[in-house]
Amino acid sequence: MFIASEFAQLFVTSYVYDYKFYIWLVTKSFTEFIAYGWDIWIDFGLLRSKQPGRYGLRDDILFPGWFYYFAMVEDLILRFFFLIPIFKWS
C-alpha cells in the first residue's frame, strides 16, 4: 500500500523546473526524433519502395500493409511516453 501511494505521488507532485530540465527535455526529444527516423529508415526499411501502391513500405513485406503503418505510428507514440510523468495533467 505504501509503495502504491508513493508511486501515485510521482504523478501529482508539482515540480519546479529549472533550465537544466528544459535542456534535457529538448535534447531528449531531439534524440527520440532521430531514433524514430533511424527505426523507420534503417531498422524497418520503410519509406524506400518504388512500387506503385506501396507508399512508404519496403519492397518485400511479410505482413499486411496496414500493420507497417500501424507500427510507424505506434513507434512514434511509444518513444514519447517518457513525457507522461513529467507533466501534471489536470
Side-chain angles (χ1 to χ4, degrees), residues 30-51:
F30 178 74
T31 57
E32 291 300 326
F33 276 116
I34 297 297
Y36 175 71
W38 184 273
D39 283 349
I40 296 298
W41 184 255
I42 302 298
D43 291 342
F44 293 152
L46 302 176
L47 304 174
R48 295 187 187 185
S49 179
K50 304 217 183 341
Q51 295 179 1

Side-chain angles (χ1 to χ4, degrees), residues 10-46:
L10 292 174
F11 295 100
V12 296
T13 304
S14 61
Y15 297 102
V16 177
Y17 299 123
D18 60 347
Y19 72 96
K20 294 176 191 174
F21 168 76
Y22 293 109
I23 291 172
W24 172 82
L25 184 63
V26 169
T27 306
K28 176 74 172 162
S29 299
F30 178 74
T31 57
E32 291 300 326
F33 276 116
I34 297 297
Y36 175 71
W38 184 273
D39 283 349
I40 296 298
W41 184 255
I42 302 298
D43 291 342
F44 293 152
L46 302 176

Side-chain angles (χ1 to χ4, degrees), residues 53-73:
R54 285 197 176 172
Y55 179 74
L57 300 179
R58 56 183 167 192
D59 291 330
D60 56 337
I61 59 174
L62 301 173
F63 301 104
W66 64 266
F67 181 78
Y68 292 97
Y69 295 120
F70 173 75
M72 286 186 224
V73 173

